[in-house]
PDB file of all heavy atoms in Angstrom:
ATOM      1  N   LEU A  15       1.029   1.526  15.100  1.00  0.00           N
ATOM      2  CA  LEU A  15       0.135   1.136  16.083  1.00  0.00           C
ATOM      3  C   LEU A  15      -0.912   2.167  16.525  1.00  0.00           C
ATOM      4  O   LEU A  15      -2.008   1.903  16.787  1.00  0.00           O
ATOM      5  CB  LEU A  15       0.946   0.604  17.383  1.00  0.00           C
ATOM      6  CG  LEU A  15       1.744  -0.736  17.101  1.00  0.00           C
ATOM      7  CD1 LEU A  15       2.679  -0.992  18.247  1.00  0.00           C
ATOM      8  CD2 LEU A  15       0.745  -1.900  17.006  1.00  0.00           C
ATOM      9  N   TYR A  16      -0.434   3.373  16.676  1.00  0.00           N
ATOM     10  CA  TYR A  16      -1.258   4.461  17.161  1.00  0.00           C
ATOM     11  C   TYR A  16      -2.325   4.773  16.043  1.00  0.00           C
ATOM     12  O   TYR A  16      -3.470   4.868  16.390  1.00  0.00           O
ATOM     13  CB  TYR A  16      -0.393   5.726  17.335  1.00  0.00           C
ATOM     14  CG  TYR A  16      -1.160   6.810  17.890  1.00  0.00           C
ATOM     15  CD1 TYR A  16      -1.617   6.790  19.226  1.00  0.00           C
ATOM     16  CD2 TYR A  16      -1.426   7.963  17.173  1.00  0.00           C
ATOM     17  CE1 TYR A  16      -2.278   7.905  19.834  1.00  0.00           C
ATOM     18  CE2 TYR A  16      -2.170   9.076  17.785  1.00  0.00           C
ATOM     19  CZ  TYR A  16      -2.597   8.945  19.084  1.00  0.00           C
ATOM     20  OH  TYR A  16      -3.253  10.009  19.619  1.00  0.00           O
ATOM     21  N   LEU A  17      -1.975   4.708  14.787  1.00  0.00           N
ATOM     22  CA  LEU A  17      -2.850   4.897  13.751  1.00  0.00           C
ATOM     23  C   LEU A  17      -3.964   3.791  13.733  1.00  0.00           C
ATOM     24  O   LEU A  17      -5.133   4.149  13.496  1.00  0.00           O
ATOM     25  CB  LEU A  17      -2.306   5.069  12.346  1.00  0.00           C
ATOM     26  CG  LEU A  17      -1.429   6.394  12.184  1.00  0.00           C
ATOM     27  CD1 LEU A  17      -0.593   6.281  10.940  1.00  0.00           C
ATOM     28  CD2 LEU A  17      -2.283   7.593  12.098  1.00  0.00           C
ATOM     29  N   ARG A  18      -3.571   2.619  13.997  1.00  0.00           N
ATOM     30  CA  ARG A  18      -4.447   1.504  14.079  1.00  0.00           C
ATOM     31  C   ARG A  18      -5.391   1.766  15.256  1.00  0.00           C
ATOM     32  O   ARG A  18      -6.645   1.431  15.134  1.00  0.00           O
ATOM     33  CB  ARG A  18      -3.699   0.192  14.149  1.00  0.00           C
ATOM     34  CG  ARG A  18      -3.217  -0.235  12.815  1.00  0.00           C
ATOM     35  CD  ARG A  18      -2.510  -1.691  13.042  1.00  0.00           C
ATOM     36  NE  ARG A  18      -1.676  -1.798  11.776  1.00  0.00           N
ATOM     37  CZ  ARG A  18      -0.303  -1.944  11.874  1.00  0.00           C
ATOM     38  NH1 ARG A  18       0.395  -1.859  13.024  1.00  0.00           N
ATOM     39  NH2 ARG A  18       0.329  -2.091  10.708  1.00  0.00           N
ATOM     40  N   TRP A  19      -4.846   2.179  16.348  1.00  0.00           N
ATOM     41  CA  TRP A  19      -5.664   2.454  17.561  1.00  0.00           C
ATOM     42  C   TRP A  19      -6.739   3.505  17.301  1.00  0.00           C
ATOM     43  O   TRP A  19      -7.830   3.446  17.712  1.00  0.00           O
ATOM     44  CB  TRP A  19      -4.763   2.889  18.733  1.00  0.00           C
ATOM     45  CG  TRP A  19      -5.507   3.197  19.972  1.00  0.00           C
ATOM     46  CD1 TRP A  19      -6.015   2.389  20.879  1.00  0.00           C
ATOM     47  CD2 TRP A  19      -5.768   4.542  20.399  1.00  0.00           C
ATOM     48  NE1 TRP A  19      -6.698   3.072  21.821  1.00  0.00           N
ATOM     49  CE2 TRP A  19      -6.527   4.397  21.591  1.00  0.00           C
ATOM     50  CE3 TRP A  19      -5.555   5.894  19.876  1.00  0.00           C
ATOM     51  CZ2 TRP A  19      -6.960   5.491  22.283  1.00  0.00           C
ATOM     52  CZ3 TRP A  19      -5.954   6.937  20.701  1.00  0.00           C
ATOM     53  CH2 TRP A  19      -6.805   6.754  21.810  1.00  0.00           C
ATOM     54  N   LEU A  20      -6.367   4.455  16.392  1.00  0.00           N
ATOM     55  CA  LEU A  20      -7.259   5.555  15.984  1.00  0.00           C
ATOM     56  C   LEU A  20      -8.406   5.008  15.082  1.00  0.00           C
ATOM     57  O   LEU A  20      -9.394   5.748  14.834  1.00  0.00           O
ATOM     58  CB  LEU A  20      -6.551   6.698  15.331  1.00  0.00           C
ATOM     59  CG  LEU A  20      -5.673   7.594  16.199  1.00  0.00           C
ATOM     60  CD1 LEU A  20      -4.966   8.627  15.362  1.00  0.00           C
ATOM     61  CD2 LEU A  20      -6.540   8.360  17.275  1.00  0.00           C
ATOM     62  N   GLY A  21      -8.210   3.815  14.556  1.00  0.00           N
ATOM     63  CA  GLY A  21      -9.214   3.200  13.612  1.00  0.00           C
ATOM     64  C   GLY A  21      -8.902   3.182  12.265  1.00  0.00           C
ATOM     65  O   GLY A  21      -9.664   2.715  11.441  1.00  0.00           O
ATOM     66  N   PHE A  22      -7.641   3.468  11.776  1.00  0.00           N
ATOM     67  CA  PHE A  22      -7.282   3.289  10.428  1.00  0.00           C
ATOM     68  C   PHE A  22      -6.915   1.891  10.126  1.00  0.00           C
ATOM     69  O   PHE A  22      -6.268   1.289  10.977  1.00  0.00           O
ATOM     70  CB  PHE A  22      -5.981   4.225  10.127  1.00  0.00           C
ATOM     71  CG  PHE A  22      -6.390   5.663  10.029  1.00  0.00           C
ATOM     72  CD1 PHE A  22      -6.147   6.417  11.192  1.00  0.00           C
ATOM     73  CD2 PHE A  22      -6.817   6.283   8.910  1.00  0.00           C
ATOM     74  CE1 PHE A  22      -6.357   7.820  11.220  1.00  0.00           C
ATOM     75  CE2 PHE A  22      -7.232   7.586   8.902  1.00  0.00           C
ATOM     76  CZ  PHE A  22      -6.954   8.343   9.997  1.00  0.00           C
ATOM     77  N   ARG A  23      -7.437   1.294   9.083  1.00  0.00           N
ATOM     78  CA  ARG A  23      -7.247  -0.092   8.759  1.00  0.00           C
ATOM     79  C   ARG A  23      -6.142  -0.257   7.741  1.00  0.00           C
ATOM     80  O   ARG A  23      -5.829   0.645   6.981  1.00  0.00           O
ATOM     81  CB  ARG A  23      -8.498  -0.605   8.140  1.00  0.00           C
ATOM     82  CG  ARG A  23      -9.639  -0.600   9.151  1.00  0.00           C
ATOM     83  CD  ARG A  23     -10.921  -1.106   8.479  1.00  0.00           C
ATOM     84  NE  ARG A  23     -12.121  -0.818   9.345  1.00  0.00           N
ATOM     85  CZ  ARG A  23     -12.691  -1.869  10.081  1.00  0.00           C
ATOM     86  NH1 ARG A  23     -12.365  -2.959   9.893  1.00  0.00           N
ATOM     87  NH2 ARG A  23     -13.747  -1.455  10.800  1.00  0.00           N
ATOM     88  N   ASP A  24      -5.513  -1.331   7.772  1.00  0.00           N
ATOM     89  CA  ASP A  24      -4.556  -1.717   6.815  1.00  0.00           C
ATOM     90  C   ASP A  24      -3.329  -0.766   6.680  1.00  0.00           C
ATOM     91  O   ASP A  24      -2.945  -0.384   5.696  1.00  0.00           O
ATOM     92  CB  ASP A  24      -5.150  -1.877   5.420  1.00  0.00           C
ATOM     93  CG  ASP A  24      -4.229  -2.577   4.450  1.00  0.00           C
ATOM     94  OD1 ASP A  24      -3.387  -3.411   4.919  1.00  0.00           O
ATOM     95  OD2 ASP A  24      -4.352  -2.323   3.221  1.00  0.00           O
ATOM     96  N   VAL A  25      -2.900  -0.246   7.982  1.00  0.00           N
ATOM     97  CA  VAL A  25      -1.734   0.547   8.041  1.00  0.00           C
ATOM     98  C   VAL A  25      -0.521  -0.272   7.723  1.00  0.00           C
ATOM     99  O   VAL A  25      -0.339  -1.308   8.247  1.00  0.00           O
ATOM    100  CB  VAL A  25      -1.662   1.160   9.430  1.00  0.00           C
ATOM    101  CG1 VAL A  25      -0.369   2.035   9.505  1.00  0.00           C
ATOM    102  CG2 VAL A  25      -2.883   2.014   9.723  1.00  0.00           C
ATOM    103  N   ARG A  26       0.270   0.171   6.745  1.00  0.00           N
ATOM    104  CA  ARG A  26       1.444  -0.435   6.332  1.00  0.00           C
ATOM    105  C   ARG A  26       2.532   0.414   5.964  1.00  0.00           C
ATOM    106  O   ARG A  26       2.376   1.532   5.579  1.00  0.00           O
ATOM    107  CB  ARG A  26       1.172  -1.509   5.170  1.00  0.00           C
ATOM    108  CG  ARG A  26       0.528  -0.703   3.959  1.00  0.00           C
ATOM    109  CD  ARG A  26       0.134  -1.670   2.841  1.00  0.00           C
ATOM    110  NE  ARG A  26      -0.617  -1.060   1.725  1.00  0.00           N
ATOM    111  CZ  ARG A  26      -0.682   0.134   1.292  1.00  0.00           C
ATOM    112  NH1 ARG A  26      -0.057   1.069   1.802  1.00  0.00           N
ATOM    113  NH2 ARG A  26      -1.445   0.397   0.288  1.00  0.00           N
ATOM    114  N   SER A  27       3.722  -0.083   5.964  1.00  0.00           N
ATOM    115  CA  SER A  27       4.997   0.472   5.562  1.00  0.00           C
ATOM    116  C   SER A  27       5.249   0.010   4.149  1.00  0.00           C
ATOM    117  O   SER A  27       4.882  -1.108   3.812  1.00  0.00           O
ATOM    118  CB  SER A  27       6.167   0.162   6.504  1.00  0.00           C
ATOM    119  OG  SER A  27       5.963   0.692   7.742  1.00  0.00           O
ATOM    120  N   PRO A  28       5.968   0.748   3.400  1.00  0.00           N
ATOM    121  CA  PRO A  28       6.369   0.245   2.085  1.00  0.00           C
ATOM    122  C   PRO A  28       7.223  -0.946   2.227  1.00  0.00           C
ATOM    123  O   PRO A  28       7.915  -1.160   3.279  1.00  0.00           O
ATOM    124  CB  PRO A  28       7.143   1.459   1.409  1.00  0.00           C
ATOM    125  CG  PRO A  28       6.748   2.641   2.250  1.00  0.00           C
ATOM    126  CD  PRO A  28       6.387   2.179   3.601  1.00  0.00           C
TER     127      PRO A  28
END
Side-chain angles (χ1 to χ4, degrees):
L15 286 171
Y16 187 72
L17 290 169
R18 287 183 192 113
W19 179 79
L20 287 177
F22 289 96
R23 298 176 188 251
D24 194 26
V25 178
R26 60 187 167 22
S27 293

